[in-house]
Amino acid sequence: FVVWQDYVYREETLDVYLADRWKVTSRLLVEAELAYQRQRRHADYLTTPIQAGVPFPSLAISDSESLDANKVAPRLGVAYRFRDDALVRVAYQRWLRPAQFASLGPVATAGIPLDDRMVQRGGEMTHLRGQLEWEVSAKSFASGFVGTEKIEHHPFKLSPFAVNDLETLDRLTSRDLGSLARDDLLEFALTPDYEAGRIRRAGGAFNHLLGREWGLFGRYLHTSSENTGATYPGNQLPYLPQHAFSLGASWVNPAGWYFIGRAVHRSGRYRDEANTQALDAGWSGAFDLYWQSHDKRALLRFSVDDAWDKNTHPQYTAEATLRF
């Protein structure tokens, strides 16, 4: 016998937000948010035996599962500018990730955004982060942060199909030319599967203008992660290296040219929750070369991703656009 499995998932999300901010002084901002979030998730499973291409519905096995949540999720943030060129931000956030991709509610607290990269639909996150931002000079900017996240996914017995942006197609549609400088140092498109976890991070970043056309940027991230689920307690969470750092440069020319490149080094990590599929430590490179005519009717772009990466093949994207 072989089996044919049919899964039907239904998800409903209701989010109600109330938010306000108070400028206590010219240097102190306080922001408070309160969200009521309700989620109804239901799954039906049907397993039908098949022999010689003939299904046997009379032997089919059906099962169902429901996961419901009602949460009052508070968020509180403070931003304090203690010098004209420096400020500190602190935020506490609780959040249930809804089924939809967009939100009419706040996505940041006192300038610190919700970190949704490691949270699946229906997952619950508690996030605490402190951040320092410093304008070192008219041409240099630096920042540093420490933070912790506690995540509970409450997964179904069988994971639903991951509905998310397709990374490869996104390269053809997006023209966010500064993304390599802003993107985090994680290498996945779809949120990895794991039951629950605790993440502690600390890091820093810098940007420096060399002149009117050239700029440099870099970032370092230290991560400590622990699986807190019942199946793989104590394991590392997927795709989270302990050490990751990047160096990059950008170039803008008045003739319509734009270039940005970045090299990232990641320490060893794992692809899966069981920590059986190791990813090698090493470098990965990416760059984007772009030209647009002054009348904006012609556009050329060539990109490379995952260059020199030991764990995957490089990806190349070429684009030519004419507007009438």
Side-chain angles (χ1 to χ4, degrees):
F1 279 100
V2 296
V3 296
W4 177 73
Q5 296 178 315
D6 185 24
Y7 315 134
V8 177
Y9 297 94
R10 294 187 297 275
E11 299 185 41
E12 298 177 4
T13 302
L14 172 66
D15 292 352
V16 179
Y17 296 93
L18 178 64
D20 201 358
R21 58 175 60 189
W22 301 271
K23 196 167 185 178
V24 181
T25 69
S26 60
R27 293 180 175 269
L28 177 62
L29 174 71
V30 177
E31 186 170 330
E33 305 161 11
L34 192 62
Y36 170 73
Q37 298 186 271
R38 187 188 72 191
Q39 294 189 9
R40 300 289 185 266
R41 306 165 65 203
H42 184 81
D44 291 313
Y45 312 122
L46 181 65
T47 303
T48 305
I50 299 176
Q51 186 175 32
V54 179
F56 290 83
S58 61
L59 300 179
I61 300 174
S62 62
D63 194 8
S64 63
E65 186 177 8
S66 294
L67 296 172
D68 298 336
N70 292 275
K71 296 288 183 180
V72 176
R75 304 174 201 166
L76 179 65
V78 176
Y80 176 61
R81 185 174 293 277
F82 59 92
R83 290 175 27 167
D84 291 342
D85 58 1
L87 63 83
V88 62
R89 305 180 192 271
V90 179
Y92 169 83
Q93 300 161 317
R94 293 193 65 184
W95 182 53
L96 279 174
R97 180 163 185 170
Q100 65 267 26
F101 297 122
S103 172
L104 296 177
V107 295
T109 308
I112 295 180
L114 288 166
D115 186 0
D116 63 351
R117 291 280 276 146
M118 292 295 291
V119 187
Q120 296 178 354
R121 299 195 324 270
E124 179 180 358
M125 178 185 71
T126 302
H127 183 206
L128 178 63
R129 174 166 169 152
Q131 184 168 303
L132 172 68
E133 301 173 8
W134 180 25
E135 186 179 347
V136 182
S137 69
K139 294 185 176 181
S140 300
F141 180 82
S143 65
F145 79 94
V146 293
T148 179
E149 301 170 39
K150 181 181 178 182
I151 300 170
E152 296 280 348
H153 277 151
H154 311 295
F156 286 118
K157 290 181 294 186
L158 297 175
S159 298
F161 178 77
V163 182
N164 207 329
D165 294 333
L166 294 178
E167 184 182 20
T168 305
L169 292 180
D170 184 63
R171 292 194 178 95
L172 293 175
T173 59
S174 175
R175 293 179 187 141
D176 185 358
L177 301 180
S179 62
L180 284 178
R182 297 191 311 272
D183 286 349
D184 57 36
L185 304 183
L186 303 178
E187 59 198 300
F188 55 84
L190 302 179
T191 305
D193 285 327
Y194 64 97
E195 186 177 351
R198 183 177 291 109
I199 305 171
R200 299 179 178 88
R201 308 182 204 246
F206 77 91
N207 294 79
H208 178 69
L209 294 176
L210 295 175
R212 294 179 59 86
E213 297 183 357
W214 280 97
L216 298 176
F217 59 90
R219 181 178 298 180
Y220 170 74
L221 181 63
H222 179 274
T223 303
S224 173
S225 67
E226 179 186 3
N227 193 311
T228 58
T231 307
Y232 299 104
N235 279 13
Q236 294 183 27
L237 296 183
Y239 292 104
L240 293 184
Q242 184 176 7
H243 302 283
F245 62 89
S246 68
L247 292 172
S250 61
W251 173 67
V252 181
N253 186 274
W257 289 96
Y258 179 88
F259 169 83
I260 186 168
R262 182 182 79 167
V264 180
H265 187 277
R266 301 180 181 92
S267 59
R269 61 265 182 221
Y270 295 97
R271 193 191 305 270
D272 62 329
E273 184 181 17
N275 289 181
T276 59
Q277 303 175 28
L279 292 169
D280 294 332
W283 289 94
S284 180
F287 77 82
D288 203 345
L289 180 63
Y290 173 96
W291 174 82
Q292 183 172 255
S293 62
H294 287 292
D295 60 8
K296 300 186 183 300
R297 292 187 175 182
L299 179 149
L300 300 174
R301 183 168 70 96
F302 179 68
S303 299
V304 177
D305 294 278
D306 302 322
W308 326 308
D309 199 314
K310 299 177 181 178
N311 302 291
T312 188
H313 298 291
Q315 300 184 43
Y316 305 93
T317 303
E319 177 186 2
T321 303
L322 294 176
R323 300 187 179 97
F324 300 96

